[in-house]
Amino acid sequence: MNYNIHDILFWGLSAMAVGCALGVILSRNPVNSVMFLILTFFAISGHYLLMNAQFLAVVNIIVYAGAIMVLFLFVIMMMNLNADVEPQKGQLVQLAGVISGGVLFLVILAAIKSASPIEVDKSASQIGLIDNLGKVLFTKFVLPFEISSVLFLSAMIGAIVIGKKEDTHIINK
Amino acid sequence: MPVNSTHYLFLSLLLFSIGIMGVLIRRNAVIIFMCIELMLNAVNLLMVAYSRMFGDADAQIFVFFIMVVAAAEVAVGLAIIVMMYRKVHSVDINILNRLKH
């Protein structure tokens, strides 16, 4: 066997990511979909660790699995969605959707399969570590970083304004 | 066969296609939103893979910004879905076809 630990981990994490992604779109219960999506994010974080992008692996778990998926779970449980009230598309529409996605996959695959592969160098690279990324982020990308804080502020205000209950008392007057 | 860039290309393309299929075959607005997150993550994975192979940190910073935008998008999008649920008491996107008529 010429497989080393890196390759075995790659195939294991890939199988986990694809299997859980299929679970997201195939499971009837929305709560199960959220759980499968969290597992997919953990698999992708494992890929990041495998590529020695430690900062992004940690941020992926904290932001996606920790914050975003909790929001999804919170909304789903607040609306009390379950498999019984899950709306279903017709068989024909589902088949058309799967065929369209598969055709897109095949077309892009045919377009890129001739691209020359680049070997992953197994030597530990330093670019994904937090001190290097911090230096790049606060020198070269400092303006986008500051603008993203304004984006967050506007998104927060927007979410509050949209989500606020309308004052029906005033409207009824 | 040792792992190279083509493997990461195939993996993220597969995840992206699964996300697109999910958007096309589901009617629940929350699930469709989750499939969009899946597509964003597939792109992130490919960006990190290429940043590793070319030894350039810029792509990882871009992944960081994609995560920032995705977080903002989720906050606003879920607020819109909650608002929609309050109005029509459903998350079925087929109800939201009033512009068609």
Side-chain angles (χ1 to χ4, degrees):
Chain A
M1 289 293 282
N2 55 356
Y3 281 101
N4 56 25
I5 184 77
H6 186 277
D7 292 354
I8 293 169
L9 279 174
F10 173 82
W11 291 113
L13 287 171
S14 303
M16 180 181 164
V18 172
C20 293
L22 283 174
V24 172
I25 67 169
L26 293 181
S27 62
R28 293 281 307 274
N29 194 338
V31 178
N32 287 345
S33 287
V34 171
M35 294 304 168
F36 275 124
L37 194 57
I38 291 174
L39 281 179
T40 312
F41 289 157
F42 271 100
I44 289 173
S45 282
H47 275 296
Y48 291 165
L49 278 181
L50 217 55
M51 290 184 276
N52 212 16
Q54 298 166 7
F55 173 65
L56 284 180
V58 172
V59 167
N60 197 44
I61 287 181
I62 292 175
V63 172
Y64 271 107
I68 292 181
M69 297 324 288
V70 168
L71 269 183
F72 273 106
L73 209 54
F74 190 72
V75 167
I76 283 174
M77 290 185 168
M78 195 179 79
M79 294 175 182
N80 199 13
L81 301 178
N82 51 46
D84 301 330
V85 297
E86 179 69 12
Q88 288 289 317
K89 273 191 177 168
Q91 295 282 329
L92 201 64
V93 181
Q94 289 195 355
L95 186 69
V98 170
I99 289 175
S100 316
V103 165
L104 180 84
F105 176 70
L106 285 179
V107 165
I108 303 180
L109 196 66
I112 61 178
K113 80 175 193 312
S114 58
S116 56
I118 309 163
E119 288 294 322
V120 183
D121 56 333
K122 300 291 197 312
S123 61
S125 102
Q126 300 295 312
I127 55 164
L129 301 187
I130 189 163
D131 55 347
N132 182 41
L133 282 185
K135 274 176 197 146
V136 179
L137 184 61
F138 289 114
T139 52
K140 198 173 171 185
F141 292 99
V142 66
L143 184 65
F145 181 75
E146 296 295 340
I147 291 173
S148 69
S149 69
V150 181
L151 174 76
F152 261 132
L153 187 67
S154 57
M156 189 180 76
I157 295 171
I160 292 172
V161 170
I162 292 170
K164 207 172 61 174
K165 238 193 176 70
E166 279 176 20
D167 205 344
T168 47
H169 185 67
I170 297 172
I171 294 172
N172 287 342
K173 268 183 194 171
Chain B
M1 194 162 63
V3 173
N4 57 35
S5 65
T6 314
H7 290 94
Y8 281 107
L9 208 56
F10 286 175
L11 174 62
S12 66
L13 185 55
L14 199 55
L15 287 176
F16 193 85
S17 301
I18 290 172
I20 288 198
M21 284 178 202
V23 169
L24 290 177
I25 69 175
R26 298 303 293 258
R27 271 170 55 187
N28 188 334
V30 182
I31 306 281
I32 288 174
F33 212 42
M34 277 160 53
C35 290
I36 293 172
E37 296 301 311
L38 190 63
M39 287 194 267
L40 283 171
N41 262 274
V43 174
N44 282 353
L45 180 65
L46 192 62
M47 281 241 228
V48 174
Y50 272 109
S51 128
R52 175 84 163 96
M53 278 146 206
F54 288 105
D56 194 350
D58 287 10
Q60 299 202 8
I61 301 291
F62 270 94
V63 170
F64 183 67
F65 283 125
I66 289 175
M67 285 178 183
V68 166
V69 173
E73 174 220 333
V74 164
V76 177
L78 282 179
I80 291 173
I81 289 177
V82 169
M83 200 64 212
M84 175 187 124
Y85 186 77
R86 274 204 207 121
K87 294 264 187 217
V88 298
H89 293 286
S90 170
V91 287
D92 188 351
I93 54 161
N94 278 23
I95 293 178
L96 299 176
N97 58 359
R98 288 189 197 127
L99 276 183
K100 215 164 79 175
H101 303 299

